[in-house]
Amino acid sequence: MSHREAVSASLETNIQEMTRRFGEDGTLLQRQFEPVSKRGGGLQCCLFCIDGMVNSALINDSIIRPVVLLEQPVPEDTDPILFLERQVMQTNEIRRVSKFSELMPRLLYGDTVVFCQGSKQALVIGSKGFVKRGVTEPPNEPYLKGPREGFTEPLLHNLAMLRRKLRTENLRYEYFSLGDTSGTACCLCYLEDVVDRRALAELRLRLSKVRIDGVMDSNYVAELISDSHLAPVRTTGTTERPDVVAAKLLEGRIALVVDGSPVVVTVPHILLELFQAGEDYYVNYTFAGINRILRIMGFFLSISVAPIYLALVGYHQELLPLPLLLSISQATQGVPFPAMVEVLLLLFQFEVLREAGSRTTSSLGQTLSVVGGLVIGQSAVEAKMVAAPTLIIVAFSGITGLIAPKLKSAVFLSRLLLILLANFYGIYGYFIGLVLLLAWVARLRSFGVPMLSGLPLSRKSSGEDSYLRPPFRMMKKFGRFLAGWGRSQV
Amino acid sequence: MKRFLCISLSICILLTCTGCRDREENDNLTVVAGIGVDGINGSYRLTTETLVAGGESEGGKRLITKSSGVTLNGALLETANLTAQQLYYTHAQTMVVSRDLARNGLEPLLQALERQNSFRLSLRILVAQDSAEALLSLKKPQEDAASFQLRSMADTSWHNATSPDTALYQFLADAGEPGIQGILPLAGLRTEGEEQAMEILGTALFRDYTMVGTLNDTDSQALLWMREGAAGGLLEDQNLALTVVRCHSKITCAPEGGKIKLTLELQELEGTGEAEDLEQRAKELAKQRCQRVLQHLSELNCDAIGLGQRLMHMHPGESKRVRTAWSQQFSRYPVDLQVEVEIRDQGRIKEEKK
């Protein structure tokens, strides 16, 4: 059944069109109204809005009330809609449309549509009033020091938070919608004067190619526009913190805000960002440097401890001090499985507990960790299902993996690859695996920027703000090495 | 695609350099703590001290396995057959050879050991006063490994300069180098009531790979002062007991058959003694002991101090003489021994109470 596209001059036709489009939908509210006074005679209006998504007080006070109490006739030769917009409506967000396709998305997103008898246009009045989550600290990125606010779901709120951080006219917002069915509103944010123009052009190109029915979260888009789908590390950054996004915009990056998602995607994204935390810049630089080194070490320990353990106990026993070798031998007596099976079993258990813990309430999560970590682990050792040294190694490997939560999936996959290589080929296999991973990451690019940018690997790179966070007075580039500004100025 | 295939093929070829066939679960391994070798009727009698996980002792269960073979490899193979375990020699710390075997020459044994890549070159070698088997079999199964104790005793003795602590690579280097001879610690058994205990007795002196004599612990001190400038050791007399904290040995040689000047500086001595002429008496005592050792070495034609090596280094023209028949010439070479004693902080030296 085809729909009428243009708004009709007949109010009745427009009402019928709306009724036909929404059918039996009970959430569509319709209200016809007209001036009480004879002096305002001739003006017949009808508004449509979606129940639960609108601010009723605003509609009553600023839309219906001024019309009902109108004591001034519509001037002749004047479109009634234009008259309403200019002289009657008491709202700040208002626009005229002449097509149903233009008004429908807005109506569905909490705006109010007003039709008027005799006008081929309709008014779309901003009246969003749906229930929103309050601004809270993101649970996945908690800070001890620094701003506590995090993004929420509504797009405009998130953009307002960004605007508050960057009060410059160079901050650009580019709106567009994604999702053939969902029509999700999205926004590209960047600073006009520092943005990496090549990355911006590339991002626009990739976004224009996105074809998807619905976008429920920014990760839908991030995955569709990412450089490599098989890469061990993400080529797009994500954060729930406005301060982090603002800082990244200042460095020349581009942020992609998707309506309905508190997670903002930033590009280009380099490897170093995975080890950086916003809090690094809110605490003393020495402490921040130590924390950053701990994160880097934690990552390498997490992917290396278990493979190196397997290589040592399986192939290179001469590298173990004798008391340790004897202690490990003693502990593995009577254990039926080879070391690799023990490691894989325990890692599987650890991942199961982590996943279960993250899906349950915090109180149950604590119980899970106690039951999983202490009871099951201890019982498995006592039952000689696994050896105590293996349990210690896997527990250490698991805990160090939590230091850099952004690398969770990278840690899991890299560790698995290295465990297999180390088990079958010893320390030699471990190093081959490490070289392969490094080569893969070195080959990756994020919107044209190499993933290993920023590391002090060449003379051109100063390595500023890489392994350590220098004091602010010593920072010269403030991370702009990858931005257009950086390329031309430095 | 071509590039991908090349990389994949390279990795596959590289990975064949190692493989899972080398893998060994460590609970299947039997760690060898040390071996003892006796020479009996032209064959080797091998005593292997092994540690197996699971014993009551913290270091594992201690087992002694005895085997024999015409060659070292044959004896090692028999040991493996007897234990029915994968023997793991890399952590072996001590090898004890019997005095008789050492007197007959260690060259075939040590070269076989050097070729065995399962032993570390840092393996410590000791000479047993009697048999190596008796030394390693002395301890009870529940006690700590005898090999480890011998290693610790040799290490402590070296710190006290009462015997050398020689690794396999050091001995092989000394025995193969002209102008210096190898030395090994000498271990034996001491009777305490009804029980016997191990002890380090002094130094076994070698000419090439053959043992030619021994030094007791007092003379070993003098040898180690001169040879290595080793600190430690005690200058002891009726009214004197001084520990050497720092020692410096300097050998200078005059060319063309001139004298070898050996200057020994004993510094920072501490201990007890009568303050009057303390340095002079200590100097005389040290010189007397060093001369006695030099005399003994001359009689044995054994340059354990390394005078020939020094001569060769300082005067390359002399190298031919050193390389050809240094052992015979060494005893005829005049050595001017000068001992300097410097007691620092003399105020700390206390007289013995009478």
Side-chain angles (χ1 to χ4, degrees):
Chain A
M1 188 173 64
S2 61
H3 294 299
R4 183 187 178 87
E5 175 60 11
V7 174
S8 166
S10 160
L11 183 63
E12 193 59 36
T13 308
N14 290 332
I15 292 170
Q16 282 173 3
E17 176 62 22
M18 291 297 287
T19 311
R20 190 163 65 244
R21 281 179 181 251
F22 282 88
E24 298 298 318
D25 189 345
T27 59
L28 183 72
L29 297 181
Q30 177 190 343
R31 167 81 158 85
Q32 280 185 272
F33 53 102
E34 56 188 49
V36 177
S37 169
K38 299 268 187 212
R39 279 177 285 180
L43 189 64
Q44 291 180 8
C45 302
C46 182
L47 71 78
F48 289 90
C49 61
I50 304 294
D51 195 10
M53 294 190 72
V54 291
N55 182 346
S56 300
L58 182 139
I59 292 173
N60 293 339
D61 294 343
S62 307
I63 300 174
I64 299 175
R65 187 184 179 89
V67 174
V68 172
L69 299 180
L70 188 67
E71 294 195 352
Q72 180 186 354
V74 179
E76 288 184 13
D77 305 332
T78 304
D79 189 333
I81 280 294
L82 190 63
F83 171 70
L84 282 179
E85 181 193 1
R86 298 268 170 87
Q87 298 182 31
V88 182
M89 295 300 167
Q90 296 175 5
T91 60
N92 62 336
E93 189 185 344
I94 188 164
R95 65 182 290 192
R96 279 173 285 130
V97 293
S98 54
K99 291 179 179 172
F100 278 96
S101 59
E102 288 178 52
L103 65 87
M104 287 306 285
R106 294 177 174 276
L107 172 70
L108 290 168
Y109 198 54
D111 286 352
T112 299
V113 176
V114 177
F115 296 103
C116 207
Q117 177 64 36
S119 174
K120 288 186 175 178
Q121 295 186 94
L123 282 181
V124 178
I125 302 164
S127 61
K128 295 180 187 68
F130 42 76
V131 179
K132 298 182 288 285
R133 188 166 59 90
V135 175
T136 54
E137 183 167 23
N140 296 326
E141 294 176 73
Y143 288 173
L144 292 176
K145 273 186 174 180
R148 304 276 176 198
E149 63 183 0
F151 286 124
T152 58
E153 282 72 17
L155 176 70
L156 286 174
H157 280 223
N158 294 344
L159 296 180
M161 280 189 211
L162 271 183
R163 179 73 77 183
R164 262 190 11 240
K165 299 273 178 197
L166 300 170
R167 290 174 220 166
T168 165
E169 68 278 12
N170 287 323
L171 178 60
R172 295 280 185 271
Y173 288 157
E174 275 183 28
Y175 291 95
F176 58 97
S177 67
L178 284 176
D180 295 341
T181 304
S182 67
T184 309
C186 303
C187 182
L188 279 185
C189 316
Y190 55 89
L191 284 172
E192 178 72 24
D193 52 343
V194 296
V195 70
D196 183 347
R197 300 235 163 250
R198 281 187 287 181
L200 182 62
E202 180 66 25
L203 179 59
R204 282 179 184 145
L205 181 70
R206 290 188 198 181
L207 284 169
S208 67
K209 292 178 181 171
V210 168
R211 290 287 174 270
I212 190 168
D213 280 348
V215 176
M216 301 300 122
D217 185 77
S218 55
N219 189 54
Y220 281 46
V221 190
E223 206 169 301
L224 287 167
I225 61 171
S226 82
D227 287 70
S228 170
H229 306 293
L230 298 170
V233 289
R234 291 180 69 110
T235 53
T236 53
T238 55
T239 180
E240 291 184 50
R241 288 195 161 268
D243 52 311
V244 173
V245 174
K248 290 191 177 187
L249 294 184
L250 283 169
E251 290 173 0
R253 291 185 177 82
I254 309 149
L256 173 64
V257 190
V258 174
D259 188 39
S261 172
V263 180
V264 172
V265 177
T266 57
V267 293
H269 185 248
I270 57 173
L271 187 73
L272 268 178
E273 289 178 71
L274 296 166
F275 300 106
Q276 291 171 341
E279 199 178 14
D280 288 352
Y281 304 91
Y282 305 142
V283 295
N284 181 280
Y285 62 90
T286 49
F287 185 58
I290 291 167
N291 283 345
R292 197 173 285 180
I293 286 175
L294 275 179
R295 272 178 235 127
I296 295 170
M297 281 173 58
F299 169 70
F300 280 103
L301 284 174
S302 179
I303 63 168
S304 301
V305 168
I308 288 177
Y309 170 74
L310 286 176
L312 289 182
V313 298
Y315 295 91
H316 317 290
Q317 291 92 350
E318 68 276 8
L319 293 177
L320 290 169
L322 183 61
L324 182 60
L325 177 64
L326 289 172
S327 168
I328 292 173
S329 296
Q330 183 107 11
T332 48
Q333 289 292 315
V335 176
F337 304 116
M340 187 185 78
V341 176
E342 288 178 64
V343 167
L344 290 181
L345 276 176
L346 284 170
L347 275 176
F348 176 70
Q349 185 209 356
F350 184 86
E351 294 299 328
V352 166
L353 285 170
R354 184 189 56 75
E355 184 63 16
S358 63
R359 300 275 168 260
T360 50
T361 57
S362 59
S363 55
L364 196 58
Q366 286 178 356
T367 315
L368 265 177
S369 45
V370 172
V371 171
L374 296 177
V375 180
I376 297 180
Q378 185 67 27
S379 306
V381 171
E382 282 176 7
K384 288 281 179 191
M385 284 182 70
V386 292
T390 317
L391 184 68
I392 294 167
I393 291 293
V394 172
F396 184 72
S397 177
I399 289 167
T400 47
L402 301 176
I403 292 180
K406 290 178 189 170
L407 285 159
K408 203 161 52 182
S409 59
V411 164
F412 181 77
L413 295 173
S414 314
R415 189 163 53 195
L416 193 62
L417 171 77
L418 293 177
I419 282 174
L420 293 175
L421 283 170
N423 184 66
F424 292 116
Y425 303 109
I427 204 81
Y428 188 64
Y430 163 75
F431 279 110
I432 283 186
L434 215 55
V435 168
L436 283 176
L437 283 173
L438 192 64
W440 196 356
V441 174
R443 199 169 158 270
L444 280 178
R445 284 174 178 269
S446 172
F447 291 84
V449 177
M451 281 292 278
L452 294 185
S453 299
L455 289 170
L457 301 174
S458 66
R459 284 184 186 174
K460 286 180 183 174
S461 170
S462 67
E464 178 184 297
D465 199 15
S466 56
Y467 304 126
L468 296 170
R469 200 276 277 172
F472 286 122
R473 67 171 63 182
M474 288 172 69
M475 281 199 193
K476 292 176 184 167
K477 298 177 183 175
F478 279 91
R480 292 185 181 182
F481 60 88
L482 54 81
W485 181 88
R487 281 178 190 154
S488 59
Q489 301 281 327
V490 180
Chain B
M1 192 62 189
K2 191 178 171 186
R3 197 172 160 196
F4 174 76
L5 281 175
C6 285
I7 293 170
S8 307
L9 197 63
S10 310
I11 290 168
C12 290
I13 291 168
L14 279 172
L15 288 178
T16 54
C17 299
T18 177
C20 45
R21 62 189 161 187
D22 300 330
R23 183 181 169 77
E24 194 66 53
E25 287 291 325
N26 60 8
D27 50 342
N28 297 333
L29 292 176
T30 298
V31 176
V32 176
I35 57 171
V37 189
D38 294 293
I40 298 172
N41 301 328
S43 64
Y44 293 120
R45 172 87 172 154
L46 190 66
T47 308
T48 310
E49 188 180 37
T50 55
L51 299 172
V52 184
E56 290 174 8
S57 166
E58 199 174 320
K61 196 164 58 183
R62 181 174 158 269
L63 294 174
I64 295 289
T65 310
K66 292 166 187 172
S67 60
S68 56
V70 179
T71 60
L72 179 69
N73 285 351
L76 291 173
L77 192 64
E78 192 181 324
T79 311
N81 289 337
L82 288 171
T83 52
Q85 283 273 338
Q86 190 77 25
L87 291 177
Y88 192 66
Y89 290 99
T90 316
H91 279 295
Q93 296 198 358
T94 315
M95 181 177 79
V96 185
V97 293
S98 69
R99 188 188 180 106
D100 291 343
L101 189 64
R103 281 200 179 279
N104 289 332
L106 295 177
E107 189 169 11
L109 175 71
L110 295 185
Q111 288 191 350
L113 203 67
E114 193 184 8
R115 286 195 294 272
Q116 269 279 342
N117 58 7
S118 46
F119 285 94
R120 289 190 192 202
L121 288 174
S122 59
L123 180 79
R124 294 299 192 270
I125 311 175
L126 293 95
V127 176
Q129 174 80 355
D130 297 311
S131 81
E133 183 185 334
L135 263 183
L136 291 184
S137 310
L138 176 70
K139 303 192 89 184
K140 292 170 187 165
Q142 66 270 24
E143 291 180 320
D144 288 339
S147 306
F148 296 167
Q149 193 181 343
L150 278 171
R151 164 81 195 263
S152 305
M153 288 168 74
D155 187 47
T156 310
S157 298
W158 183 79
H159 278 105
N160 294 329
T162 53
S163 87
D165 182 23
T166 312
L168 173 61
Y169 71 90
Q170 288 170 322
F171 187 80
L172 288 170
D174 290 345
E177 180 88 1
I180 190 166
Q181 302 296 347
I183 53 173
L184 292 175
L186 182 68
L189 293 173
R190 166 170 49 97
T191 307
E192 288 178 352
E194 291 184 355
E195 291 193 351
Q196 286 188 308
M198 295 183 294
E199 70 171 338
I200 300 293
L201 300 167
T203 306
L205 301 168
F206 281 76
R207 192 186 314 129
D208 298 330
Y209 289 92
T210 309
M211 181 175 156
V212 290
T214 59
L215 291 177
N216 64 17
D217 55 352
T218 314
D219 288 344
S220 297
Q221 287 177 4
L223 173 65
L224 291 173
W225 288 338
M226 291 186 285
R227 180 185 164 106
E228 300 173 10
L234 194 65
L235 272 175
E236 200 178 17
D237 199 355
Q238 283 182 339
N239 302 317
L240 179 74
L242 293 171
T243 308
V244 178
V245 178
R246 269 181 62 195
C247 173
H248 182 61
S249 171
K250 187 179 176 188
I251 300 169
T252 51
C253 312
E256 301 296 329
K259 272 188 177 179
I260 294 176
K261 186 178 176 185
L262 197 157
T263 310
L264 188 66
E265 292 175 12
L266 302 176
Q267 299 165 333
E268 292 189 30
L269 281 76
E270 60 182 27
T272 58
E274 290 176 5
E276 193 182 343
D277 293 337
L278 197 59
E279 280 189 349
Q280 186 59 32
R281 281 191 291 129
K283 185 176 167 182
E284 283 168 10
L285 187 61
K287 189 167 186 177
Q288 188 187 343
R289 281 165 60 175
C290 290
Q291 274 173 337
R292 192 169 69 215
V293 171
L294 275 170
Q295 177 66 29
H296 188 57
L297 294 178
S298 296
E299 287 165 8
L300 296 173
N301 287 333
C302 170
D303 181 7
I305 300 170
L307 299 176
Q309 190 185 51
R310 188 67 190 155
L311 177 67
M312 201 168 66
H313 288 176
M314 293 186 75
H315 304 289
E318 299 283 315
S319 62
K320 190 179 176 186
R321 187 205 303 257
V322 175
R323 284 180 193 281
T324 50
W326 178 245
S327 295
Q328 285 76 37
Q329 294 192 20
F330 159 65
S331 54
R332 295 199 292 273
Y333 235 89
V335 178
D336 177 16
L337 175 68
Q338 289 187 7
V339 179
E340 301 294 332
V341 171
E342 182 188 345
I343 300 176
R344 290 194 180 169
D345 302 330
Q346 286 217 23
R348 292 172 62 197
I349 304 290
K350 293 174 184 170
E351 289 187 19
E352 288 182 2
K353 288 180 181 173
K354 293 176 182 173

